[in-house]
Amino acid sequence: MKISYKWLKEYIDINLSEKELEDRLTFAGIEVEAVEKIGAELAQLKVAEIVEKTPHPNAEKLSICQVNDGKETVQVICGAPNCAVGQKVAFAPVGTNFDDFVIKKAKLRGEVSFGMLCSEKELGLSDDHDGIMVLSEDAETGTDLASYLKIGDICYEVEITPNRPDLLGMIGVAKDLSALLNIPVSLPNPKLPKGISDIKKDLKLENTAEDICTRYIARVVKNVKIAESPEWLKQRLLAVGMRPINNVVDITNFVMHEYGHPLHAFDYDKLEGHKIVVRRATEKEKFTALDEETYELKTSDLVIADAEKPIALAGIIGGQDSGISNETQTIVLEAANFLYSSIRKTSGRLKIFTDSSYRFERDMADQTAELISERAIELILEIAGGELVEGKLDSYPNPKNLEIVSIRPSRARKLLTIDIDAEKITTYMEALGLKKISEQEDLISFEIPANRKDLTREIDLIEEVIRLHGYNNVPTLTIPQNIMNRKYFYARRKVQDLLVSYGFSEIINWSFGDPEDLDKLKIPENDERRETAKLKNPLGTSFSIMRSTLIPNLLKNAEFNINHGTKSFKTFEMAKIFHRKEEKLATEKLQLCGLMTGQLNPTYWKEKPKQVDFFDLKGIVLELVELLGVEKTNLKESAEAFYQKGQAADLFHKKHFLGSFGKIDPKITEQFGIEQDIYIYDLKFDKIYELDMIGTPIFKKIPKFPPVLRDLSIIVSKEFSVQQIVDTIFATNRKLIHDVVLFDEYRGNNIKDGFRSLTFNIIFVSETKTLTDEYTNKIVQKAVKRLENEYHIEMR
């Protein structure tokens, strides 16, 4: 819906800037989606005068015009048949920017044109394209066209919530702003003259669908003169995006946008039997609408018919054969109300969406029909002339009394936490058009206007109180709570960003799981992951528990991708897992689980393809925990049954278990329908975060003295881990040994069974002096002796 600032000012004397009104509308509960400056495009055009006109030498239908725009005279090529010397015209000079094109200097059949003389259709002012737009003789040359036509306006594109149909018209918005700003509102007060004859002699009304058509008013005006609408009326319609058609149709559209309630006009002479019948359509009945489409109706559809055929689809669209034309002399004006659910159903089924259906779908008020009928008749008599036939035909089978709703001031104070008395509440309610019926000690009763169908309960009135009082005027009674752990949030984000940078794709699965998946993974019965939270009403057995591990879903995702032709990929999921002991509430922990399979990197012509292996996975895991501030970790061979023996490790920080990683046993992957190597890491993100090792990076000075490097090659039993040996070397001299790096492992010829050859690079760094070879060699010898004593190594 569109709201015109100029039009709004006719009812309420506001003096707000464009932005201020936008904010006020928002606080009134009217969401502003866009703001358009009407006339901004026309402001580029000038009122100009044709001072000379000559035939085009190379084109019979073109003319060469010399046009003066108040500053200079330029040549313009024009093809309009009505251009003449002395005319004041709408001139678009070079550089004028329309929506879809820009006016440029152009050569037409050998002659140069420096602009364009525009028609009303080209400017979007009407459908008239018979020739250029000719202005009045007193138009001042050089004036911009928007100022001359006085159509500068600001239009607000707004979204009205379905429960506020009273805001679908300018008057409804004006009333709401009046209450909000405490400014009086000036509304039309239509008064009809005494009519001729008696309407019952000229027209008959029959309503056979009183449950769907809750009110129908018909009035007749004779001897009207169908013509173009006055300028002010056309401008109002153009401002809200309506195309002017003729004076009578434009008045019905004007009143619809003024009050928010649609109405329709019929040509009296086209009504067979001079009768209006409101009825349900017959099955498969045909109806040709104003959009020139023929629709097949059902018995659930409501039509307005004459004695023989449908003339309108009630509340949605008029018929092609009963509309107002230039030959119309007598009109029948319809002002009605229909059951909103019926309109919505028919409109949706036939896919006809009009301004009328948009409003009737939101449940209009029966009482408004009388008001808009009088307003439209008053404007028709004023603009189109004619004689009003005395009386009206009014089918109003079930009039309803206005609702009475009460409010307790004490309840309003408690809920809103504001100090407000009964007098102030009454002032707010009366500003909205509510009428006070009674007041007791702590109870005020109000009669609700017919068009405020959203006010049915005490809480609705309390909501209106705070809306008018201002949400921003409610005092802050508590300190704002920290609703998000930023450190935790950014830790998660850093991990996600790192994995994505390494080619991983994040996936999101359901939090439900299948207990049979735990059996497939050979999870022991006494394992924590068997303590699952079971659903009382699951969708099926495969969704009967809350996940206690993320691994099964990753394997199922992998099986799906592999079966669809994707053999190489990396995926990860960061989600909560759930454990529940006995009848206690389930505990939730954030888990990070990732999967790698196939080639490590995409195929590249310059490099040989490399398959993912255990050490690629290890590198990713260690970098992840290091990113979270955990630098010193220990690895132990994993005992998880779903890993392949010798191809998996558990990750520790001191005594804290942080997770595991490794190659899934092929027997396990086979149960999930996978026939290729799968590598998984399963990390306890919450546990890693709880170590609270994420801090501000501390700058370390670059050593002043050069490092000393030594290689150490030993033969040692496989029963001792690399980590044990590295720790022992470090323990020899933690102050000078900066790093110990394993760079070679060998098992084969000349190495006994059960043993392996390991080669380490030891880096020595001193912060106080340059280390000599003699001193460094002594430290190496000391490390060798400790290794011989603890692990019975042999030097190689």
Side-chain angles (χ1 to χ4, degrees), residues 275-297:
K275 182 178 182 181
I276 288 181
V277 181
V278 184
R279 61 171 173 83
R280 286 178 168 83
T282 58
E283 192 66 27
K284 296 186 178 181
E285 186 173 15
K286 303 294 184 181
F287 169 68
T288 303
L290 285 171
D291 59 4
E292 299 181 357
E293 294 286 336
T294 299
Y295 298 94
E296 185 174 281
L297 306 181

PDB file of all heavy atoms in Angstrom, residues 275-297:
ATOM      1  N   LYS A 275     -31.814  -5.207 -12.357  1.00  0.00           N
ATOM      2  CA  LYS A 275     -31.869  -5.942 -11.091  1.00  0.00           C
ATOM      3  C   LYS A 275     -30.465  -6.369 -10.691  1.00  0.00           C
ATOM      4  O   LYS A 275     -29.647  -6.752 -11.538  1.00  0.00           O
ATOM      5  CB  LYS A 275     -32.771  -7.172 -11.258  1.00  0.00           C
ATOM      6  CG  LYS A 275     -32.952  -8.000  -9.998  1.00  0.00           C
ATOM      7  CD  LYS A 275     -33.901  -9.171 -10.281  1.00  0.00           C
ATOM      8  CE  LYS A 275     -34.140  -9.990  -9.021  1.00  0.00           C
ATOM      9  NZ  LYS A 275     -35.042 -11.141  -9.280  1.00  0.00           N
ATOM     10  N   ILE A 276     -30.181  -6.301  -9.392  1.00  0.00           N
ATOM     11  CA  ILE A 276     -28.910  -6.793  -8.855  1.00  0.00           C
ATOM     12  C   ILE A 276     -29.201  -7.980  -7.949  1.00  0.00           C
ATOM     13  O   ILE A 276     -30.040  -7.888  -7.035  1.00  0.00           O
ATOM     14  CB  ILE A 276     -28.161  -5.697  -8.077  1.00  0.00           C
ATOM     15  CG1 ILE A 276     -27.599  -4.655  -9.052  1.00  0.00           C
ATOM     16  CG2 ILE A 276     -27.043  -6.296  -7.235  1.00  0.00           C
ATOM     17  CD1 ILE A 276     -26.832  -3.544  -8.386  1.00  0.00           C
ATOM     18  N   VAL A 277     -28.532  -9.080  -8.233  1.00  0.00           N
ATOM     19  CA  VAL A 277     -28.694 -10.298  -7.440  1.00  0.00           C
ATOM     20  C   VAL A 277     -27.326 -10.686  -6.881  1.00  0.00           C
ATOM     21  O   VAL A 277     -26.378 -10.888  -7.640  1.00  0.00           O
ATOM     22  CB  VAL A 277     -29.263 -11.456  -8.285  1.00  0.00           C
ATOM     23  CG1 VAL A 277     -29.443 -12.690  -7.415  1.00  0.00           C
ATOM     24  CG2 VAL A 277     -30.573 -11.038  -8.943  1.00  0.00           C
ATOM     25  N   VAL A 278     -27.256 -10.768  -5.567  1.00  0.00           N
ATOM     26  CA  VAL A 278     -26.031 -11.250  -4.915  1.00  0.00           C
ATOM     27  C   VAL A 278     -26.244 -12.732  -4.654  1.00  0.00           C
ATOM     28  O   VAL A 278     -27.135 -13.125  -3.881  1.00  0.00           O
ATOM     29  CB  VAL A 278     -25.771 -10.502  -3.587  1.00  0.00           C
ATOM     30  CG1 VAL A 278     -24.457 -10.959  -2.984  1.00  0.00           C
ATOM     31  CG2 VAL A 278     -25.760  -8.998  -3.804  1.00  0.00           C
ATOM     32  N   ARG A 279     -25.452 -13.569  -5.328  1.00  0.00           N
ATOM     33  CA  ARG A 279     -25.687 -15.014  -5.230  1.00  0.00           C
ATOM     34  C   ARG A 279     -24.386 -15.790  -5.384  1.00  0.00           C
ATOM     35  O   ARG A 279     -23.355 -15.242  -5.785  1.00  0.00           O
ATOM     36  CB  ARG A 279     -26.656 -15.452  -6.320  1.00  0.00           C
ATOM     37  CG  ARG A 279     -26.152 -15.206  -7.744  1.00  0.00           C
ATOM     38  CD  ARG A 279     -27.066 -15.852  -8.764  1.00  0.00           C
ATOM     39  NE  ARG A 279     -26.720 -15.521 -10.144  1.00  0.00           N
ATOM     40  CZ  ARG A 279     -25.779 -16.138 -10.851  1.00  0.00           C
ATOM     41  NH1 ARG A 279     -25.046 -17.123 -10.301  1.00  0.00           N
ATOM     42  NH2 ARG A 279     -25.548 -15.778 -12.114  1.00  0.00           N
ATOM     43  N   ARG A 280     -24.472 -17.070  -5.051  1.00  0.00           N
ATOM     44  CA  ARG A 280     -23.356 -17.968  -5.322  1.00  0.00           C
ATOM     45  C   ARG A 280     -23.355 -18.329  -6.806  1.00  0.00           C
ATOM     46  O   ARG A 280     -24.425 -18.434  -7.431  1.00  0.00           O
ATOM     47  CB  ARG A 280     -23.458 -19.237  -4.474  1.00  0.00           C
ATOM     48  CG  ARG A 280     -23.113 -19.024  -3.001  1.00  0.00           C
ATOM     49  CD  ARG A 280     -23.277 -20.333  -2.225  1.00  0.00           C
ATOM     50  NE  ARG A 280     -22.694 -20.224  -0.891  1.00  0.00           N
ATOM     51  CZ  ARG A 280     -23.293 -19.701   0.158  1.00  0.00           C
ATOM     52  NH1 ARG A 280     -24.533 -19.213   0.018  1.00  0.00           N
ATOM     53  NH2 ARG A 280     -22.694 -19.653   1.327  1.00  0.00           N
ATOM     54  N   ALA A 281     -22.166 -18.514  -7.343  1.00  0.00           N
ATOM     55  CA  ALA A 281     -22.062 -18.896  -8.750  1.00  0.00           C
ATOM     56  C   ALA A 281     -22.570 -20.323  -8.931  1.00  0.00           C
ATOM     57  O   ALA A 281     -22.564 -21.131  -7.995  1.00  0.00           O
ATOM     58  CB  ALA A 281     -20.619 -18.788  -9.225  1.00  0.00           C
ATOM     59  N   THR A 282     -23.029 -20.632 -10.132  1.00  0.00           N
ATOM     60  CA  THR A 282     -23.367 -22.016 -10.450  1.00  0.00           C
ATOM     61  C   THR A 282     -22.103 -22.752 -10.862  1.00  0.00           C
ATOM     62  O   THR A 282     -21.117 -22.139 -11.288  1.00  0.00           O
ATOM     63  CB  THR A 282     -24.404 -22.077 -11.581  1.00  0.00           C
ATOM     64  OG1 THR A 282     -23.865 -21.402 -12.741  1.00  0.00           O
ATOM     65  CG2 THR A 282     -25.689 -21.387 -11.165  1.00  0.00           C
ATOM     66  N   GLU A 283     -22.109 -24.056 -10.726  1.00  0.00           N
ATOM     67  CA  GLU A 283     -20.915 -24.842 -11.039  1.00  0.00           C
ATOM     68  C   GLU A 283     -20.535 -24.678 -12.517  1.00  0.00           C
ATOM     69  O   GLU A 283     -21.373 -24.805 -13.409  1.00  0.00           O
ATOM     70  CB  GLU A 283     -21.164 -26.315 -10.728  1.00  0.00           C
ATOM     71  CG  GLU A 283     -19.914 -27.189 -10.734  1.00  0.00           C
ATOM     72  CD  GLU A 283     -18.931 -26.836  -9.625  1.00  0.00           C
ATOM     73  OE1 GLU A 283     -19.376 -26.313  -8.573  1.00  0.00           O
ATOM     74  OE2 GLU A 283     -17.734 -27.087  -9.804  1.00  0.00           O
ATOM     75  N   LYS A 284     -19.256 -24.321 -12.742  1.00  0.00           N
ATOM     76  CA  LYS A 284     -18.667 -24.126 -14.076  1.00  0.00           C
ATOM     77  C   LYS A 284     -19.273 -22.931 -14.825  1.00  0.00           C
ATOM     78  O   LYS A 284     -19.184 -22.856 -16.052  1.00  0.00           O
ATOM     79  CB  LYS A 284     -18.787 -25.395 -14.922  1.00  0.00           C
ATOM     80  CG  LYS A 284     -17.994 -26.570 -14.355  1.00  0.00           C
ATOM     81  CD  LYS A 284     -18.025 -27.770 -15.294  1.00  0.00           C
ATOM     82  CE  LYS A 284     -17.190 -28.912 -14.722  1.00  0.00           C
ATOM     83  NZ  LYS A 284     -17.192 -30.091 -15.632  1.00  0.00           N
ATOM     84  N   GLU A 285     -19.866 -22.008 -14.097  1.00  0.00           N
ATOM     85  CA  GLU A 285     -20.403 -20.794 -14.715  1.00  0.00           C
ATOM     86  C   GLU A 285     -19.257 -19.938 -15.241  1.00  0.00           C
ATOM     87  O   GLU A 285     -18.218 -19.802 -14.592  1.00  0.00           O
ATOM     88  CB  GLU A 285     -21.227 -20.000 -13.697  1.00  0.00           C
ATOM     89  CG  GLU A 285     -21.944 -18.789 -14.290  1.00  0.00           C
ATOM     90  CD  GLU A 285     -22.886 -18.146 -13.282  1.00  0.00           C
ATOM     91  OE1 GLU A 285     -22.780 -18.444 -12.076  1.00  0.00           O
ATOM     92  OE2 GLU A 285     -23.746 -17.360 -13.713  1.00  0.00           O
ATOM     93  N   LYS A 286     -19.413 -19.354 -16.421  1.00  0.00           N
ATOM     94  CA  LYS A 286     -18.366 -18.554 -17.055  1.00  0.00           C
ATOM     95  C   LYS A 286     -18.552 -17.080 -16.696  1.00  0.00           C
ATOM     96  O   LYS A 286     -19.670 -16.571 -16.629  1.00  0.00           O
ATOM     97  CB  LYS A 286     -18.405 -18.707 -18.581  1.00  0.00           C
ATOM     98  CG  LYS A 286     -18.283 -20.139 -19.069  1.00  0.00           C
ATOM     99  CD  LYS A 286     -16.923 -20.742 -18.770  1.00  0.00           C
ATOM    100  CE  LYS A 286     -16.805 -22.159 -19.360  1.00  0.00           C
ATOM    101  NZ  LYS A 286     -15.490 -22.767 -19.055  1.00  0.00           N
ATOM    102  N   PHE A 287     -17.404 -16.417 -16.495  1.00  0.00           N
ATOM    103  CA  PHE A 287     -17.438 -14.989 -16.171  1.00  0.00           C
ATOM    104  C   PHE A 287     -16.256 -14.307 -16.833  1.00  0.00           C
ATOM    105  O   PHE A 287     -15.102 -14.708 -16.635  1.00  0.00           O
ATOM    106  CB  PHE A 287     -17.381 -14.791 -14.653  1.00  0.00           C
ATOM    107  CG  PHE A 287     -17.150 -13.360 -14.240  1.00  0.00           C
ATOM    108  CD1 PHE A 287     -18.120 -12.390 -14.448  1.00  0.00           C
ATOM    109  CD2 PHE A 287     -15.941 -12.974 -13.653  1.00  0.00           C
ATOM    110  CE1 PHE A 287     -17.904 -11.073 -14.070  1.00  0.00           C
ATOM    111  CE2 PHE A 287     -15.712 -11.661 -13.272  1.00  0.00           C
ATOM    112  CZ  PHE A 287     -16.695 -10.701 -13.484  1.00  0.00           C
ATOM    113  N   THR A 288     -16.525 -13.275 -17.634  1.00  0.00           N
ATOM    114  CA  THR A 288     -15.464 -12.511 -18.295  1.00  0.00           C
ATOM    115  C   THR A 288     -15.237 -11.219 -17.523  1.00  0.00           C
ATOM    116  O   THR A 288     -16.148 -10.398 -17.379  1.00  0.00           O
ATOM    117  CB  THR A 288     -15.837 -12.183 -19.752  1.00  0.00           C
ATOM    118  OG1 THR A 288     -16.108 -13.403 -20.447  1.00  0.00           O
ATOM    119  CG2 THR A 288     -14.694 -11.448 -20.434  1.00  0.00           C
ATOM    120  N   ALA A 289     -14.035 -11.051 -17.027  1.00  0.00           N
ATOM    121  CA  ALA A 289     -13.719  -9.938 -16.131  1.00  0.00           C
ATOM    122  C   ALA A 289     -13.137  -8.757 -16.894  1.00  0.00           C
ATOM    123  O   ALA A 289     -12.904  -8.814 -18.114  1.00  0.00           O
ATOM    124  CB  ALA A 289     -12.742 -10.404 -15.057  1.00  0.00           C
ATOM    125  N   LEU A 290     -12.887  -7.662 -16.143  1.00  0.00           N
ATOM    126  CA  LEU A 290     -12.311  -6.457 -16.744  1.00  0.00           C
ATOM    127  C   LEU A 290     -10.932  -6.698 -17.341  1.00  0.00           C
ATOM    128  O   LEU A 290     -10.491  -5.951 -18.213  1.00  0.00           O
ATOM    129  CB  LEU A 290     -12.211  -5.355 -15.675  1.00  0.00           C
ATOM    130  CG  LEU A 290     -13.528  -4.662 -15.294  1.00  0.00           C
ATOM    131  CD1 LEU A 290     -13.323  -3.771 -14.088  1.00  0.00           C
ATOM    132  CD2 LEU A 290     -14.054  -3.851 -16.473  1.00  0.00           C
ATOM    133  N   ASP A 291     -10.231  -7.722 -16.860  1.00  0.00           N
ATOM    134  CA  ASP A 291      -8.905  -8.013 -17.412  1.00  0.00           C
ATOM    135  C   ASP A 291      -8.988  -8.808 -18.710  1.00  0.00           C
ATOM    136  O   ASP A 291      -7.961  -9.301 -19.204  1.00  0.00           O
ATOM    137  CB  ASP A 291      -8.048  -8.767 -16.388  1.00  0.00           C
ATOM    138  CG  ASP A 291      -8.675 -10.092 -15.957  1.00  0.00           C
ATOM    139  OD1 ASP A 291      -9.730 -10.468 -16.513  1.00  0.00           O
ATOM    140  OD2 ASP A 291      -8.118 -10.753 -15.054  1.00  0.00           O
ATOM    141  N   GLU A 292     -10.224  -8.971 -19.234  1.00  0.00           N
ATOM    142  CA  GLU A 292     -10.511  -9.648 -20.501  1.00  0.00           C
ATOM    143  C   GLU A 292     -10.243 -11.150 -20.433  1.00  0.00           C
ATOM    144  O   GLU A 292     -10.180 -11.818 -21.470  1.00  0.00           O
ATOM    145  CB  GLU A 292      -9.715  -9.007 -21.659  1.00  0.00           C
ATOM    146  CG  GLU A 292     -10.063  -7.538 -21.871  1.00  0.00           C
ATOM    147  CD  GLU A 292      -9.292  -6.929 -23.035  1.00  0.00           C
ATOM    148  OE1 GLU A 292      -8.455  -7.635 -23.621  1.00  0.00           O
ATOM    149  OE2 GLU A 292      -9.551  -5.760 -23.361  1.00  0.00           O
ATOM    150  N   GLU A 293     -10.065 -11.700 -19.238  1.00  0.00           N
ATOM    151  CA  GLU A 293      -9.907 -13.131 -19.053  1.00  0.00           C
ATOM    152  C   GLU A 293     -11.264 -13.729 -18.687  1.00  0.00           C
ATOM    153  O   GLU A 293     -12.068 -13.104 -17.996  1.00  0.00           O
ATOM    154  CB  GLU A 293      -8.901 -13.430 -17.938  1.00  0.00           C
ATOM    155  CG  GLU A 293      -7.479 -13.013 -18.242  1.00  0.00           C
ATOM    156  CD  GLU A 293      -6.809 -13.928 -19.253  1.00  0.00           C
ATOM    157  OE1 GLU A 293      -7.233 -15.096 -19.366  1.00  0.00           O
ATOM    158  OE2 GLU A 293      -5.865 -13.477 -19.934  1.00  0.00           O
ATOM    159  N   THR A 294     -11.509 -14.946 -19.156  1.00  0.00           N
ATOM    160  CA  THR A 294     -12.750 -15.654 -18.824  1.00  0.00           C
ATOM    161  C   THR A 294     -12.435 -16.715 -17.769  1.00  0.00           C
ATOM    162  O   THR A 294     -11.523 -17.533 -17.948  1.00  0.00           O
ATOM    163  CB  THR A 294     -13.366 -16.301 -20.071  1.00  0.00           C
ATOM    164  OG1 THR A 294     -13.678 -15.271 -21.023  1.00  0.00           O
ATOM    165  CG2 THR A 294     -14.638 -17.052 -19.706  1.00  0.00           C
ATOM    166  N   TYR A 295     -13.198 -16.692 -16.690  1.00  0.00           N
ATOM    167  CA  TYR A 295     -12.945 -17.594 -15.568  1.00  0.00           C
ATOM    168  C   TYR A 295     -14.106 -18.579 -15.412  1.00  0.00           C
ATOM    169  O   TYR A 295     -15.271 -18.236 -15.638  1.00  0.00           O
ATOM    170  CB  TYR A 295     -12.777 -16.800 -14.274  1.00  0.00           C
ATOM    171  CG  TYR A 295     -11.603 -15.852 -14.312  1.00  0.00           C
ATOM    172  CD1 TYR A 295     -11.783 -14.515 -14.681  1.00  0.00           C
ATOM    173  CD2 TYR A 295     -10.319 -16.287 -14.007  1.00  0.00           C
ATOM    174  CE1 TYR A 295     -10.709 -13.638 -14.723  1.00  0.00           C
ATOM    175  CE2 TYR A 295      -9.237 -15.418 -14.042  1.00  0.00           C
ATOM    176  CZ  TYR A 295      -9.437 -14.088 -14.410  1.00  0.00           C
ATOM    177  OH  TYR A 295      -8.369 -13.234 -14.451  1.00  0.00           O
ATOM    178  N   GLU A 296     -13.757 -19.794 -14.996  1.00  0.00           N
ATOM    179  CA  GLU A 296     -14.766 -20.817 -14.713  1.00  0.00           C
ATOM    180  C   GLU A 296     -14.976 -20.844 -13.208  1.00  0.00           C
ATOM    181  O   GLU A 296     -14.036 -21.087 -12.442  1.00  0.00           O
ATOM    182  CB  GLU A 296     -14.312 -22.177 -15.228  1.00  0.00           C
ATOM    183  CG  GLU A 296     -15.369 -23.263 -15.065  1.00  0.00           C
ATOM    184  CD  GLU A 296     -14.937 -24.567 -15.710  1.00  0.00           C
ATOM    185  OE1 GLU A 296     -15.045 -24.695 -16.944  1.00  0.00           O
ATOM    186  OE2 GLU A 296     -14.469 -25.462 -14.963  1.00  0.00           O
ATOM    187  N   LEU A 297     -16.200 -20.608 -12.768  1.00  0.00           N
ATOM    188  CA  LEU A 297     -16.491 -20.430 -11.351  1.00  0.00           C
ATOM    189  C   LEU A 297     -17.009 -21.710 -10.709  1.00  0.00           C
ATOM    190  O   LEU A 297     -17.414 -22.656 -11.391  1.00  0.00           O
ATOM    191  CB  LEU A 297     -17.519 -19.301 -11.177  1.00  0.00           C
ATOM    192  CG  LEU A 297     -17.174 -17.955 -11.832  1.00  0.00           C
ATOM    193  CD1 LEU A 297     -18.269 -16.936 -11.557  1.00  0.00           C
ATOM    194  CD2 LEU A 297     -15.820 -17.448 -11.350  1.00  0.00           C
TER     195      LEU A 297
END
